[in-house]
Amino acid sequence: MSESADSRTKTLNFNIGVLGHVDSGKTSLARALSSTASTAAFDKNPQSRERGITLDLGFSSFTVDLPDHLRDNGGQQPYDSLQFTLVDCPGHASLIRTIIGGAQIIDLMMLVVDVVKGVQTQTAECLLIGELTCPRMVVVLNKIDLLPPNKRQSAIEKMTKRLHKTLENTRFKECPVIAVAAKPGGPEAAVTEEPQGVPQLIELLKKQTYLPLRDPGGDLLMAVDHCFSIRGQGTVMTGTVLQGSLAINDTVEIPALKVTKKIKSVQMFRKPVSGAMQGDRVGVCVTQFDPKLLERGVVCTPGSLRTLFAAVISVRKISYFKGSLATRAKFHITVGHETVMAKVTFFGLPPVSPCSLETPFTFDREYFHQDEYVAGQGEGSSGPDPEQWALLEFDRPVTCPSLCLVIGSKLDTDIHANTCRLAFQGRLLQGFEDKNYVETALPQLRIYKTKHKEGQVERVTDDYSVIGRSLFKKETNLQLFVGLKVTLSTGETGVIEGGFGQSGKFKIRVQEGLRPETKQLLSSASKKKGKSGSKGANEEEPKVDSQPVSIHLHFKRYVFDPHKKMVQS
């Protein structure tokens, strides 16, 4: 919502994300649609012009008459016009990093598909990002000028049918599909070539608009995508208000640089305004700030963002991802406006605990360490995945708002391989701001592994104690195990009392006493051993089959316990 220079007119700003495979013609489409391009439009940054592809979020806008269905504005001051802000997202490898950053403010997604090539790998990724971040979608079949005129209509119908089939299991089933030629003749064609189908597309977009929920309350969070200086005025940061609001004379923080600045003036699409709120696209002018320090990033209410070294997130695997999600593996984690590598540790509820679908994460509960993410356990494993979480340990600290969306991906996968690179998604639940979080915070995270060791009874010393072997290595510190319960394969339970000799043997006290049949078994075994021992065999290596009573030790060990204590329930 923007109060323009003439405060009596009110413009509704509606953000449309333009996504699609590289070369599907997104930028040409944004150009064809736009009348007013903002400073950031069509990717003005010099590197991207050299490389010839969209490297950044490009923003441009055009204003249309307010559609009738938006005229009744729930009793609020009516809007006079509708401004579409097009967020042109990159289509190659850095796609995910950039789009997820802008996704929180996209009200509708325009998925651009090359009518000749159809759905490609990145198109599918764009769809997934749309599903995670956006309520509505319109599919634009572009480049219809490349189809022979006599087969054009049937090819469009065929592709439309195929797309509806692809979308039927997503939240966008039945979404509208429209065919256009944004730049007939391709990039080299003369400017005189009129785009085809664009007026119809604008009408369709107007029909799809709704009043987005915009909340001016709460802390300011603004995503900055360009920063440049204007002589005699100061430095302008252009971006989109993701949450909260801002006004002239407000103090804002640039958390990545730990500096605060006062807002001198605010503009929306080249018109001065007094302030802006969630969903608005603005330029904010501050003084005495070097624009080279901030190409993109976030600006916020001072002190409202946190810089995290690690975090706990809720986690759900993305079904199209083919690889396994293994603990200790590294993934690209996109959180807030940053993408950073992180080591991931998966954990879930203990196997015996009742599984409710929504178990909130708390430090009071114990969790079970998982070697990898556990997929659904239903028949043909179509059941829902059990509730799971992940600990992310970032390669470098990240600055982000709490409860933000987190996406894990394998962006180093070959871009041409036909595989989905998005691996999992979740929400940030708990952040660790202390650089020494491994010592200070992680011990509170009670994730355990279960351990099982097995040894043998060597001999009986009396009715209440036996000597065991093969449970520990010679160099093990047996003191750590004193007092732990063990079970004999014959059913008795005992307690480890301490070491016996130097070779890793140990003494077990059986409180209830050994059963007569156990003593019988052990004495007949030692007689057998005695016979074979008469040949001077080393008593350290008795035959395994002559020792039928085994010792079982079960315990838990907490992964982040600095003392590595063993615990038995």
Side-chain angles (χ1 to χ4, degrees), residues 390-402:
L391 168 70
L392 306 178
E393 297 183 73
F394 301 117
D395 280 9
R396 62 173 172 77
V398 294
T399 301
C400 58
S402 50

Side-chain angles (χ1 to χ4, degrees), residues 27-255:
T27 305
S28 310
L29 184 64
R31 264 209 185 93
L33 284 166
S34 289
S35 53
T36 324
S38 84
T39 44
F42 312 126
D43 209 13
K44 288 242 169 53
N45 99 33
Q47 299 101 327
S48 34
R49 262 187 301 197
E50 283 161 32
R51 296 181 213 168
I53 43 177
T54 304
L55 271 189
D56 218 325
L57 293 171
F59 287 88
S60 54
S61 77
F62 60 98
T63 304
V64 295
D65 292 339
L66 194 74
D68 288 343
H69 69 278
L70 295 181
R71 287 200 184 281
D72 175 25
N73 183 19
Q76 295 178 26
Q77 183 188 342
Y79 294 107
D80 302 285
S81 56
L82 169 64
Q83 171 175 277
F84 283 121
T85 294
L86 300 177
V87 187
D88 177 22
C89 302
H92 57 72
S94 77
L95 155 107
I96 297 165
R97 295 183 175 92
T98 322
I99 294 173
I100 296 165
Q104 292 139 289
I105 43 95
I106 289 178
D107 302 311
L108 177 136
M109 180 164 119
M110 199 155 63
L111 182 67
V112 186
V113 177
D114 180 325
V115 71
V116 181
K117 294 178 181 161
V119 171
Q120 295 162 271
T121 309
Q122 280 168 14
T123 324
E125 289 179 352
C126 294
L127 248 174
L128 278 171
I129 291 170
E131 277 214 271
L132 297 177
T133 56
C134 176
R136 289 194 189 188
M137 184 171 80
V138 167
V139 177
V140 180
L141 291 178
N142 194 15
K143 306 193 180 182
I144 54 171
D145 56 303
L146 300 180
L147 300 169
N150 57 342
K151 296 188 180 150
R152 191 168 295 172
Q153 198 46 42
S154 66
I156 290 169
E157 282 164 16
K158 202 164 149 193
M159 187 59 81
T160 303
K161 215 177 233 157
R162 197 186 293 170
L163 277 159
H164 276 139
K165 184 100 186 94
T166 304
L167 297 174
E168 70 185 1
N169 293 321
T170 72
R171 60 153 43 160
F172 303 125
K173 59 172 188 276
E174 309 295 315
C175 85
V177 177
I178 186 169
V180 304
K183 184 98 176 66
E188 310 308 314
V191 186
T192 49
E193 280 277 354
E194 274 295 300
Q196 301 164 19
V198 172
Q200 293 83 344
L201 174 56
I202 290 175
E203 285 311 306
L204 175 63
L205 292 176
K206 281 165 70 172
K207 276 201 191 82
Q208 293 294 313
T209 49
Y210 55 93
L211 283 177
L213 286 170
R214 305 280 198 230
D215 177 8
D219 291 325
L220 167 75
L221 181 64
M222 172 177 160
V224 173
D225 39 68
H226 289 271
C227 203
F228 53 92
S229 59
I230 295 179
R231 221 187 176 144
Q233 286 194 29
T235 295
V236 175
M237 301 183 281
T238 65
T240 308
V241 181
L242 301 180
Q243 65 182 50
S245 54
L246 57 84
I248 293 171
N249 292 329
D250 281 359
T251 298
V252 294
E253 180 186 6
I254 303 160

Side-chain angles (χ1 to χ4, degrees), residues 505-522:
K505 292 181 188 177
F506 54 97
K507 196 170 176 184
I508 295 172
R509 177 98 184 135
V510 182
Q511 292 96 323
E512 306 285 305
L514 291 165
R515 296 176 186 158
E517 54 271 32
T518 307
K519 286 192 290 191
Q520 174 76 37
L521 198 63
L522 287 164

